[in-house]
Amino acid sequence: MPLLIAPVFNSTTTQPIRIELPNGYYLISGADRPYEIASRYLRNEMDENKRIFDSRVSRNSLFLVAEHAEMKVTDDRPWIEEIENKLNLSALHGTCSIPYVLTITGNMCGITYLKRSLDGSRLEFDESIQSVFMRLMDHQLPSLAFRRYALSLEKKSNEDQLLDLWIALESLFAPDGKKGEITYKLRLRMAYYFGESYAQRQKIAEFVKKSYNHRSEIVHSGKVFGSKLTDEVNTLRLLARATILNTAMHGITLQEMRVRLDELILTGETYTQRYAPSYFERIIL
């Protein structure tokens, strides 16, 4: 039976795991065979620096594995990318990637290069991340926000990351805004979504206004901020991630969420007080 093995670069686990996934796939760590096969065939064939393999893949890394009678990597590529993106969405810290896929039939091995391996701190796949990941496998995610969140991890510059994250946040909070209204709606809706007090809401609204102005400067004048944007981008990532997770886990549509936020502006209540969501990550600036 042909075997597919995809090392999850820059991931690690504290104990052996095996997680059954749809489509005949499973995630495994702590097993000798996936590591030995990947180490044997991939280390010397990588398009990138060969030392990257040893620094980012070990026996304790995650490996995506599948056995298929007829295996076509091109057909499964969207599924493999979805697994990578959901792993990264599940973790507050750390960035993993699946840049190569190995297909093994008998003594023959084929290597498919999917993408450049992503940079970032190591993703430690512990029980809490595993719990979020498994729940994500059962939920539909807001597609545009999820895609742009994932794309932001691939970008090198802070400016490009900021643009991707603002596209994600606009699609979540203000796709109905016209020119001149978008910043206003983003400020109010995000302030009431995350803020529990007037002081918190004011701080969020000020952050949104400042950051969205940076977005406009980058788009319209090509301004480069460099490292000055690092903390801002990290905050935007937290806000986007929390909103994607909250809406998916709670099982409400984005339109329903926006209607709720407009109601809160009139009542003055907090989101969790009024709607008691079953899952809610709060970001405090």
Side-chain angles (χ1 to χ4, degrees):
M1 182 79 71
L3 182 68
L4 179 150
I5 297 176
V8 183
F9 278 42
N10 217 37
S11 68
T12 187
T13 59
T14 56
Q15 58 187 3
I17 64 167
R18 181 185 172 108
I19 302 173
E20 301 294 333
L21 300 174
N23 300 344
Y25 280 80
Y26 56 92
L27 275 173
I28 194 170
S29 75
D32 289 337
R33 190 182 181 208
Y35 173 76
E36 289 172 355
I37 290 175
S39 178
R40 175 184 175 185
Y41 290 106
L42 185 56
R43 178 186 284 112
N44 294 323
E45 298 296 333
M46 287 172 56
D47 292 339
E48 301 170 88
N49 189 314
K50 296 175 184 178
R51 289 175 296 178
I52 291 180
F53 182 88
D54 291 321
S55 65
R56 299 192 180 184
V57 181
S58 70
R59 294 180 191 275
N60 294 325
S61 296
L62 290 168
F63 291 83
L64 185 64
V65 180
E67 297 181 36
H68 293 303
E70 295 182 5
M71 191 175 297
K72 296 181 179 179
V73 175
T74 53
D75 292 343
D76 285 354
R77 182 170 184 163
W79 167 251
I80 294 170
E81 290 178 349
E82 180 181 346
I83 295 300
E84 175 192 301
N85 294 339
K86 286 185 175 180
L87 283 170
N88 283 324
L89 186 65
S90 301
L92 263 175
H93 306 289
T95 304
C96 67
S97 59
I98 304 178
Y100 296 91
V101 174
L102 289 77
T103 49
I104 298 92
T105 304
N107 294 324
M108 299 178 62
C109 177
I111 299 174
T112 302
Y113 176 69
L114 299 181
K115 61 191 290 187
R116 179 184 65 84
S117 59
L118 303 183
D119 299 321
S121 59
R122 194 175 301 276
L123 190 153
E124 298 182 6
F125 193 77
D126 57 19
E127 290 182 1
S128 62
I129 294 176
Q130 180 176 335
S131 175
V132 174
F133 173 75
M134 293 305 297
R135 291 184 68 179
L136 284 178
M137 297 305 299
D138 297 325
H139 290 84
Q140 186 70 32
L141 301 179
S143 58
L144 178 56
F146 180 45
R147 179 163 56 87
R148 283 295 178 168
Y149 181 89
L151 284 173
S152 73
L153 297 173
E154 300 182 18
K155 303 298 173 62
K156 288 286 190 179
S157 74
N158 281 329
E159 289 78 13
D160 287 342
Q161 293 180 54
L162 182 141
L163 293 180
D164 276 327
L165 291 169
W166 266 121
I167 291 173
L169 288 164
E170 281 185 46
S171 73
L172 293 166
F173 288 100
D176 52 347
K178 299 178 181 178
K179 188 175 182 179
E181 293 181 354
I182 295 178
T183 308
Y184 178 75
K185 287 188 173 183
L186 287 170
R187 289 174 63 198
L188 284 181
R189 288 174 176 172
M190 292 177 69
Y192 270 87
Y193 190 67
F194 291 107
E196 290 190 313
S197 65
Y198 172 74
Q200 288 179 3
R201 291 169 186 158
Q202 186 179 42
K203 191 170 184 179
I204 293 167
E206 289 174 352
F207 172 81
V208 169
K209 181 179 180 180
K210 178 181 178 181
S211 184
Y212 202 77
N213 284 341
H214 289 162
R215 174 251 179 221
S216 297
E217 290 181 89
I218 294 168
V219 170
H220 298 298
S221 65
K223 186 170 181 178
V224 176
F225 293 89
S227 61
K228 294 179 181 178
L229 286 180
T230 299
D231 290 342
E232 184 176 320
V233 167
N234 289 337
T235 299
L236 289 172
R237 193 178 310 285
L238 291 175
L239 294 170
R241 175 184 178 273
T243 310
I244 294 169
L245 287 177
N246 291 343
T247 53
M249 301 292 200
H250 191 43
I252 65 169
T253 66
L254 294 180
Q255 177 60 25
E256 185 178 0
M257 180 192 74
R258 291 188 289 267
V259 169
R260 287 181 171 188
L261 291 173
D262 291 345
E263 290 175 353
L264 290 180
I265 294 169
L266 296 177
T267 65
E269 295 175 275
T270 69
Y271 192 91
T272 52
Q273 282 176 339
R274 186 171 180 85
Y275 300 111
S278 58
Y279 183 98
F280 196 85
E281 286 195 12
R282 182 173 300 284
I283 305 300
I284 299 176
L285 302 190

